[in-house]
Amino acid sequence: MALYSFWIFDRHCNCIFDREWTLKTNPSSGTTNSKLNEDTAKLLYGMVFSLRSISQKLGSKGSFNEIRTIATGKYRAHILCTASGLWFILLSDLGQEDLSQVLRYLYSEIYVKTVVYNWLSPVDFADSPNERRGQGFRKIRNRQFLLAVEKFLGPMVN
Amino acid sequence: MDASQRPEMTEHQKQQLQFQLFQDSLPKVNEIVYRMLLNEAIPMAVNVQDRLSEESGGHEDNETEQGLEQDLDAKLTFDPLKDHVPSHKLLQKYLTADEEYQNKVDERLNNIGFLLGQKLSQLLIFSNNPSLNFRDMDLLAVMKFVCRDVWRQLFGKQIDNLKTNHRGTFYLLDNNYKPVESFALDEDMSQEEQTLIEPYLEIPCGVIRGVLDSLGFQEKGQVICTASITSDRESQKTGSSASSRAVLFNVQINPDR
């Protein structure tokens, strides 16, 4: 099992969290909320957005056809879209068929408990109207969230 | 249930059924919503204080016809999001405000807690044991009531440690204070975070005051309750940055004069 990276996008098309692991052997390696990943984040967002709209158009009318995974020759992206417009995306190697349980845990047990229940942290990360069109730069920086993500995903990295 | 089935039930099953019926009849409320409501009291107090200071800031009333029309307009149109400020911004405001402002907010919260405590003790005494005679109970028993029943009702757990010098001073230690359990600001625990958590301790302080008030400690200034955050000893041992915060409540009760 190998995880490559983990991303969260909010409903304003902003990337609010990214975590990339570089060394398989060392779960603490890599970058968190890095400026260098901004372009990658946009590309990833675009890819998921387009495939998501295709999958919704191809589904029969009225039915719910949400995208779950995208596999390429090298990696697989696992996607969880919540009703409030948050996207949780995990990139892993091709061995992983389905990480939806993992994503669900990340959302319900980690994001909700450390960001939503946390009165000191904003729930909507776009502060002003001009940050609402993908121009936002705010990230989740709170200690408990970072710790919980490391603790939960760390053992799955290699 | 059919009458034909009834004789087949054993005594134990009957009791279980009765207990189930009793449980179902109890009033219930979603725990998450209740906790959020309790936490939202702090931004609300800041907001109220803000609006009050705005109003006393003196805006002139223009008595012209146009002014009246605008006034009427403002009163007739209802826009819930007009002056909406998110909760975390209100808390930031509290952080940057001066001490007098902070004290006013704290006092407001303390009073909310006081009223809550007064009513809570009535309810708890009635529902748990109406024949409990607090007149004959000593101070320690009353404080035990606070630690056990009141705390369990409010936060779903008991106080972890109760210390006293038998002269009216009590230390109540809560190792994992629930409302601020998931509060964190940045990578490191900072002074700012500490300041922001402090108003969250005012409501339980008020609750303790209110409960004691309804149990006969009614004189003004008879009960003094303060709270402070202490670093958790257990987490210091393990060296992990604490996810649970220990809170120490210091209750000082002066004897009857």
Side-chain angles (χ1 to χ4, degrees):
Chain A
M1 186 155 178
L3 293 182
Y4 299 141
S5 55
F6 171 51
W7 311 74
I8 302 177
F9 295 91
D10 73 354
R11 66 196 164 107
H12 306 295
C13 320
N14 298 325
C15 175
I16 54 171
F17 182 76
D18 64 76
R19 176 80 177 98
E20 193 170 35
W21 292 277
T22 41
L23 292 174
K24 264 190 180 184
T25 47
N26 182 5
S28 60
S29 67
T31 55
T32 311
N33 288 336
S34 160
K35 272 251 180 262
L36 296 170
N37 276 337
E38 264 179 10
D39 288 336
T40 323
K42 278 178 191 162
L43 289 169
L44 182 65
Y45 185 90
M47 178 174 84
V48 173
F49 183 87
S50 338
L51 287 170
R52 198 170 169 248
S53 58
I54 290 172
S55 79
Q56 274 165 356
K57 277 192 189 110
L58 290 181
S60 61
K61 218 171 200 159
S63 79
F64 198 66
N65 192 19
E66 198 68 79
I67 193 160
R68 289 209 200 109
T69 57
I70 304 167
T72 70
K74 289 271 182 211
Y75 62 87
R76 197 188 293 270
H78 305 261
I79 301 147
L80 172 75
C81 302
T82 72
S84 50
L86 284 166
W87 295 5
F88 290 74
I89 300 173
L90 259 177
L91 299 193
S92 74
D93 63 353
L94 289 170
Q96 309 311 312
E97 283 295 330
D98 188 16
L99 290 182
S100 61
Q101 286 301 320
V102 172
L103 284 164
R104 202 147 276 287
Y105 184 88
L106 281 166
Y107 175 48
S108 64
E109 297 293 318
I110 296 180
Y111 181 84
V112 169
K113 291 221 167 119
T114 61
V115 178
V116 181
Y117 289 172
N118 184 350
W119 253 247
L120 313 183
S121 129
V123 175
D124 193 348
F125 281 82
D127 226 5
S128 56
N130 54 4
E131 285 171 30
R132 297 218 171 117
R133 296 267 174 222
Q135 251 90 57
F137 49 86
R138 277 164 226 277
K139 306 266 185 189
I140 305 177
R141 289 190 199 289
N142 98 54
R143 177 178 71 250
Q144 295 211 14
F145 178 79
L146 296 177
L147 261 175
V149 167
E150 287 307 307
K151 209 170 143 196
F152 177 61
L153 291 182
M156 285 187 254
V157 168
N158 60 7
Chain B
M1 181 159 302
D2 287 342
S4 57
Q5 274 184 324
R6 238 172 236 163
E8 287 162 31
M9 270 169 43
T10 62
E11 197 59 33
H12 180 66
Q13 274 174 326
K14 259 186 209 163
Q15 272 176 6
Q16 266 191 336
L17 184 72
Q18 205 160 24
F19 184 67
Q20 192 60 46
L21 284 172
F22 168 70
Q23 289 263 300
D24 291 344
S25 72
L26 286 177
K28 287 181 191 66
V29 64
N30 189 326
E31 193 191 348
I32 292 167
V33 176
Y34 155 72
R35 289 202 190 295
M36 289 180 106
L37 184 72
L38 207 60
N39 278 347
E40 193 59 34
I42 284 85
M44 185 203 74
V46 178
N47 205 357
V48 168
Q49 191 56 42
D50 229 41
R51 303 238 170 144
L52 280 178
S53 52
E54 247 172 51
E55 258 173 40
S56 64
H59 54 92
E60 61 252 40
D61 286 53
N62 38 350
E63 291 285 316
T64 59
E65 206 167 304
Q66 202 190 359
L68 277 176
E69 215 163 85
Q70 274 177 0
D71 203 35
L72 198 67
D73 247 20
K75 272 178 188 155
L76 285 175
T77 52
F78 177 68
D79 186 3
L81 292 177
K82 199 179 124 214
D83 295 319
H84 171 74
V85 186
S87 296
H88 72 279
K89 288 231 172 117
L90 287 169
L91 287 175
Q92 290 291 332
K93 213 176 253 176
Y94 176 87
L95 186 65
T96 52
D98 55 4
E99 207 167 312
E100 193 197 335
Y101 184 94
Q102 289 184 351
N103 285 342
K104 273 183 185 162
V105 173
D106 286 353
E107 200 191 322
R108 188 174 297 282
L109 288 166
N110 207 313
N111 284 337
I112 293 174
F114 183 76
L115 295 176
L116 186 63
Q118 272 187 325
K119 286 167 188 168
L120 197 63
S121 64
Q122 306 293 343
L123 272 171
L124 283 174
I125 294 164
F126 175 70
S127 68
N128 285 3
N129 195 353
S131 61
L132 212 62
N133 195 352
F134 277 90
R135 192 175 288 276
D136 301 334
M137 284 166 80
D138 60 340
L139 207 48
L140 190 62
V142 172
M143 287 311 283
K144 272 187 189 160
F145 169 75
V146 171
C147 293
R148 285 208 192 107
D149 299 287
V150 174
W151 229 253
R152 199 185 295 144
Q153 194 70 30
L154 276 178
F155 306 117
K157 69 192 277 285
Q158 298 182 17
I159 284 266
D160 294 300
N161 200 340
L162 170 67
K163 280 185 198 152
T164 175
N165 68 349
H166 296 289
R167 285 193 192 84
T169 310
F170 292 89
Y171 290 101
L172 285 70
L173 181 71
D174 193 341
N175 274 328
N176 181 11
Y177 182 54
K178 286 275 177 189
V180 298
E181 198 176 24
S182 47
F183 286 19
L185 205 57
D186 266 322
E187 274 97 337
D188 304 305
M189 178 100 135
S190 61
Q191 187 58 44
E192 290 181 4
E193 203 177 296
Q194 192 106 351
T195 321
L196 278 175
I197 287 170
E198 265 158 21
Y200 282 83
L201 309 177
E202 286 298 328
I203 287 187
C205 276
V207 168
I208 294 176
R209 236 163 31 91
V211 169
L212 289 173
D213 177 273
S214 63
L215 295 181
F217 302 90
Q218 279 164 342
E219 276 172 60
K220 215 169 181 189
Q222 198 180 8
V223 178
I224 299 159
C225 182
T226 53
S228 58
I229 306 156
T230 57
S231 45
D232 195 352
R233 248 177 296 146
E234 273 171 52
S235 63
Q236 271 178 348
K237 262 183 218 160
T238 52
S240 66
S241 52
S243 62
S244 62
R245 282 188 194 82
V247 176
L248 187 69
F249 293 94
N250 183 0
V251 187
Q252 173 78 45
I253 301 167
N254 301 319
D256 288 316
R257 272 153 293 178

